[in-house]
Amino acid sequence: MIPSIDIAFSRFPVLKTERLILRKILFSDETEIFSIYSDPEAMRHFGKHPFKTKVEAAGMIYKVVNAFQNKEGIRWGIAFKDTEKLIGSAGIWRLDMRHSRGEIGYELLPKHWGLGIMSEALKEILDFGFDKMGLHSMEANIDPENIASAKLLEKIGFRKEGYLRESYFFNNKFFDNVIYSLLDEERIYRKPSTKEE
């Protein structure tokens, strides 16, 4: 398939890995989304307060659905194949198609940390971004205190690009930000090409 932003957004892309299914987030997932985004540990480095009501979860789902419809970004719900119950989410947003660049974001329920779930999901998402959307580079912005996220990004080939001091304001305080990036050609886990020339 020749990469195309229009093709990528023509129908929601369901992705599968050895253990996981990455699928569309539905309004029926409100309870699971609330569980993830209301968890203080899951949100500790997110730069937002944990959700307090399911209304916030419904609002988040609406934003995700709307972003896909407007070709602004794709966020997948992460679930084990045998249950399809969401345990996290991840996606590509802040698309800049003029420069073939996107940013990834992700979160996972703490009880599933340390099992390689997010690296498994992100590899599939990155392959989709590079191979199907035609992106040239991916960016990730993280809290410098989020050591686990830094290790995850480095494990899948991202390089640290920069350190922004007090670059965002949250909860009456300024926080630093670390930028990582990955180029298409730097994928260390690259699958055999399935592109149609």
Side-chain angles (χ1 to χ4, degrees):
M1 176 186 292
I2 298 173
S4 166
I5 196 69
D6 291 323
I7 293 174
F9 284 98
S10 62
R11 179 177 60 179
F12 194 90
V14 176
L15 309 177
K16 295 180 181 180
T17 70
E18 183 179 347
R19 295 179 291 174
L20 309 170
I21 182 167
L22 311 179
R23 61 168 178 81
K24 185 176 184 179
I25 298 174
L26 307 170
F27 283 100
S28 58
D29 296 314
E30 180 183 283
T31 298
E32 286 74 30
I33 289 295
F34 178 72
S35 294
I36 298 163
Y37 282 79
S38 64
D39 189 296
E41 272 301 292
M43 299 296 287
R44 185 153 58 101
H45 299 289
F46 213 75
K48 292 183 179 180
H49 292 292
F51 287 174
K52 293 182 179 179
T53 68
K54 287 187 178 180
V55 172
E56 294 173 281
M60 181 268 188
I61 296 171
Y62 174 80
K63 288 179 181 178
V64 167
V65 171
N66 196 52
F68 181 78
Q69 291 175 343
N70 293 328
K71 301 180 182 179
E72 296 171 347
I74 306 176
R75 193 164 199 89
W76 288 266
I78 301 172
F80 288 112
K81 286 179 178 177
D82 58 349
T83 68
E84 293 204 19
K85 181 178 179 180
L86 297 191
I87 59 172
S89 76
I92 304 170
W93 64 309
R94 288 186 179 168
L95 290 171
D96 182 351
M97 296 314 298
R98 180 182 176 190
H99 301 292
S100 300
R101 191 171 179 87
E103 181 178 331
I104 61 167
Y106 45 87
E107 72 286 324
L108 188 69
L109 280 172
K111 70 178 182 178
H112 300 292
W113 291 357
L115 302 175
I117 291 171
M118 192 55 73
S119 63
E120 187 174 326
L122 287 181
K123 288 174 185 178
E124 200 68 28
I125 289 170
L126 291 167
D127 279 342
F128 183 86
F130 288 128
D131 295 334
K132 303 295 193 257
M133 299 175 74
L135 297 178
H136 175 70
S137 63
M138 297 276 199
E139 181 180 312
N141 292 277
I142 68 169
D143 180 342
E145 294 184 5
N146 193 346
I147 305 303
S149 193
K151 288 181 178 178
L152 165 66
L153 292 170
E154 291 167 3
K155 176 183 176 181
I156 58 178
F158 276 78
R159 297 183 186 180
K160 185 176 177 180
E161 267 195 359
Y163 191 105
L164 302 178
R165 296 179 300 154
E166 300 188 0
S167 60
Y168 72 93
F169 188 75
F170 169 65
N171 207 23
N172 296 315
K173 182 180 177 181
F174 284 100
F175 289 86
D176 296 349
N177 196 39
V178 180
I179 301 173
Y180 283 80
S181 73
L182 176 70
L183 302 182
D184 180 6
E185 64 193 30
E186 294 173 339
R187 277 185 283 170
I188 58 177
Y189 56 87
R190 183 186 296 273
K191 294 179 180 179
S193 178
T194 57
K195 294 180 181 179
E196 295 177 3
E197 302 300 334

